[in-house]
């Protein structure tokens, strides 16, 4: 269905062997969940665009006796490009799989971090939410263009692309890389979606989850 806007986005680092949400120093927050919606070092934090590609592919026709008689389909592994107005510096480095040097800078680690994510949009009447949840993927940052300020400020926003893979736990999302969800469906709860997307997630006493 048609949607409008970006409500928020959630990220979490997951263990590459078990698929469990990493918390504390190994994760993105005490609870493991990082909601990109304003932090001390990134008060304007949030996404300006989330471009999701390859949500589906056309089937390939197979022929016999001069007729198309059946089809084959490919497994779906979407990509999601997040353009961020701002993003917490340390959280970004962790999501990209960076590790610290002696001078407290960051360089690429030997292996990429595994990231689960949820992108949230809303219906045209702003009464309901639509969720795109990704069970497992890696984030990378491509190019970065810096520009001089003139009489106008020149900003350079972060662009990171999530390349999805199959869930580490094959039971998660019934083995698929992503799922969509909505509170339009009877019985849906955000907490249940969070728990399925980020295995090991637990609801905080505030009911909103730790925002990092």
């Amino acid at each position: 269905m048609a949607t409008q806007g970006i409500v928020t986005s959630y990220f979490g680092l997951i263990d590459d062997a078990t698929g469990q949400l990493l918390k504390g120093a190994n994760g993105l927050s005490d609870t493991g969940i990082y909601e990109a919606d304003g932090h001390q070092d990134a008060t304007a934090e949030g996404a300006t665009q989330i471009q999701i590609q390859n949500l589906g592919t056309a089937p390939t026709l197979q022929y016999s006796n001069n007729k198309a008689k059946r089809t084959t389909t490919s497994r779906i592994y979407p990509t999601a490009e997040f353009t961020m107005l701002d993003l917490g510096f340390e959280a970004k480095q962790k999501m990209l799989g960076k590790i610290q040097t002696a001078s407290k800078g960051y360089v690429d680690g030997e292996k990429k971090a595994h990231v689960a994510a949820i992108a949230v949009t809303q219906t045209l009447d702003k009464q309901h939410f639509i969720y795109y949840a990704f069970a497992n993927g890696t984030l990378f940052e491509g190019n970065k263009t810096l520009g001089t300020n003139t009489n106008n400020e020149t900003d350079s926003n972060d662009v990171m692309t999530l390349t999805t893979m199959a869930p580490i736990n094959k039971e998660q999302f019934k083995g698929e890389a992503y799922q969509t969800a909505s509170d339009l469906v009877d019985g849906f709860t955000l907490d249940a979606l969070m728990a399925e997307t980020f295995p090991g997630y637990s609801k905080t006493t505030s009911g909103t989850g730790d925002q990092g």
Side-chain angles (χ1 to χ4, degrees), residues 73-94:
T73 55
S74 301
R75 294 296 297 270
I76 306 302
Y77 296 103
T79 60
E81 183 182 87
F82 292 82
T83 301
M84 310 300 290
L85 182 64
D86 204 354
L87 185 65
F89 180 78
E90 289 191 60
K92 174 187 171 184
Q93 307 313 311
K94 285 187 173 184

Side-chain angles (χ1 to χ4, degrees), residues 8-24:
T8 193
S9 51
Y10 301 96
F11 299 92
L13 300 182
I14 56 174
D15 187 278
D16 62 2
T18 66
Q20 290 292 299
L21 179 67
L22 298 177
K23 302 177 182 180

Side-chain angles (χ1 to χ4, degrees), residues 129-181:
F129 300 108
I130 308 294
Y131 302 87
Y132 291 87
F134 306 95
N136 178 29
T138 58
L139 277 166
F140 74 91
E141 182 179 41
N143 300 323
K144 184 73 170 177
T145 301
L146 308 179
T148 184
N149 288 339
T150 58
N151 56 316
N152 295 313
E153 179 180 290
T154 300
D155 295 340
S156 178
N157 296 333
D158 292 322
V159 179
M160 304 184 302
T161 300
L162 179 71
T163 301
T164 65
M165 297 177 281
I168 294 170
N169 181 342
K170 64 181 181 181
E171 302 300 324
Q172 186 183 9
F173 290 11
K174 297 187 181 296
E176 298 298 326
Y178 85 101
Q179 69 169 328
T180 55

Side-chain angles (χ1 to χ4, degrees), residues 28-154:
L28 299 178
S29 71
D30 288 344
T31 65
I33 302 298
Y34 189 92
E35 181 180 11
D37 192 28
H39 288 81
Q40 184 174 356
D41 63 341
T43 56
E45 188 177 57
T48 60
Q49 179 174 278
I50 304 172
Q51 185 174 355
I52 305 172
Q53 296 184 325
N54 302 322
L55 288 174
T57 59
T60 300
L61 292 173
Q62 292 187 317
Y63 294 83
S64 67
N65 295 344
N66 295 334
K67 300 174 184 177
K69 292 195 172 185
R70 67 182 183 191
T71 62
T72 59
T73 55
S74 301
R75 294 296 297 270
I76 306 302
Y77 296 103
T79 60
E81 183 182 87
F82 292 82
T83 301
M84 310 300 290
L85 182 64
D86 204 354
L87 185 65
F89 180 78
E90 289 191 60
K92 174 187 171 184
Q93 307 313 311
K94 285 187 173 184
M95 284 190 269
L96 292 171
K98 306 281 188 178
I99 57 175
Q100 277 194 321
T101 66
S103 63
K104 301 302 182 182
Y106 287 88
V107 296
D108 287 333
E110 291 185 359
K111 57 183 181 180
K112 300 291 288 183
H114 285 253
V115 180
I118 300 176
V120 189
T121 183
Q122 60 190 346
T123 54
L124 295 181
D125 61 7
K126 300 181 181 180
Q127 299 303 303
H128 298 279
F129 300 108
I130 308 294
Y131 302 87
Y132 291 87
F134 306 95
N136 178 29
T138 58
L139 277 166
F140 74 91
E141 182 179 41
N143 300 323
K144 184 73 170 177
T145 301
L146 308 179
T148 184
N149 288 339
T150 58
N151 56 316
N152 295 313
E153 179 180 290
T154 300

